[in-house]
Amino acid sequence: GTSATASNLSNGTYTVTITDANGCKNTQTATIAGSSGPVVTISHDTTIKQGGTVNIVATGGGTYDWNPSTGLSCTNCPNPTATPSKTTDYCVIVTDTTGCQDSACMRISVDLPCGEIYVPNAFSPNGDNENDFECVYGNCIQSLDLIIYDRWGNKVFETTDQKVCWDGTYRGTMMNTGVFVYELQAVTTNGDKVVKKGNITLVR
């Protein structure tokens, strides 16, 4: 035809032959040499302590786009400082000047010194400033739901805040010495789910 368009061609040499009404021909060649695109390298997986930082580096040229952005000092630089609060996989997409892209990911594991989530099995709310409150102990609790029942199954206390402890009262009245039952559901900062049940002895 009098005009033609070719698209999505691979790298290589192409030939076009033009033939007129008299059968005369002319041949031309064209070479397509495309970019091979960027090749990304990224820091190896690493482990840090809770609250620690580490520099992560990507190479490959062009522009950088890190994801997720949580805990990173920048998301469009080749070497951000990472301060994740929990184990996180960081990925980067590198784009060169021709729009070609490559990506890579690495994992930063956060060593959480959590220890065990602990609910004491006895307390003595007598105002002597020793064991006056029934609390939930643990270093890495993200969320919790603590419910305490009396021996008849009545709910006498509930909290979703680790800082809120039971003082041994129910509706403003001091409970007598006795054994109570608790149910605890908690989620740690690294995503672990904890379920506990047991007895609590209130001693006057």
Side-chain angles (χ1 to χ4, degrees), residues 125-181:
N126 54 15
D128 64 356
N129 294 321
E130 293 185 8
N131 301 319
D132 281 338
F133 297 94
E134 180 69 18
C135 304
V136 178
Y137 298 93
N139 295 329
C140 303
I141 298 175
Q142 178 174 280
S143 63
L144 64 80
D145 184 16
L146 172 68
I147 304 176
I148 299 176
Y149 302 92
D150 64 17
R151 61 179 178 174
W152 295 283
N154 299 312
K155 181 168 65 176
V156 297
F157 178 77
E158 182 176 11
T159 183
T160 57
D161 186 345
Q162 187 181 3
K163 296 178 182 178
V164 177
C165 303
W166 187 36
D167 61 1
T169 64
Y170 176 56
R171 295 181 177 177
T173 301
M174 292 288 184
M175 303 294 290
N176 294 324
T177 296
V179 177
F180 297 80
V181 176

Side-chain angles (χ1 to χ4, degrees), residues 17-31:
T17 300
I18 302 174
T19 305
D20 65 13
N22 298 318
C24 297
K25 298 181 179 182
N26 187 15
T27 300
Q28 296 289 332
T29 61
T31 300

Side-chain angles (χ1 to χ4, degrees), residues 42 73 181 184:
I42 195 172
S73 60
V181 176
L184 172 68

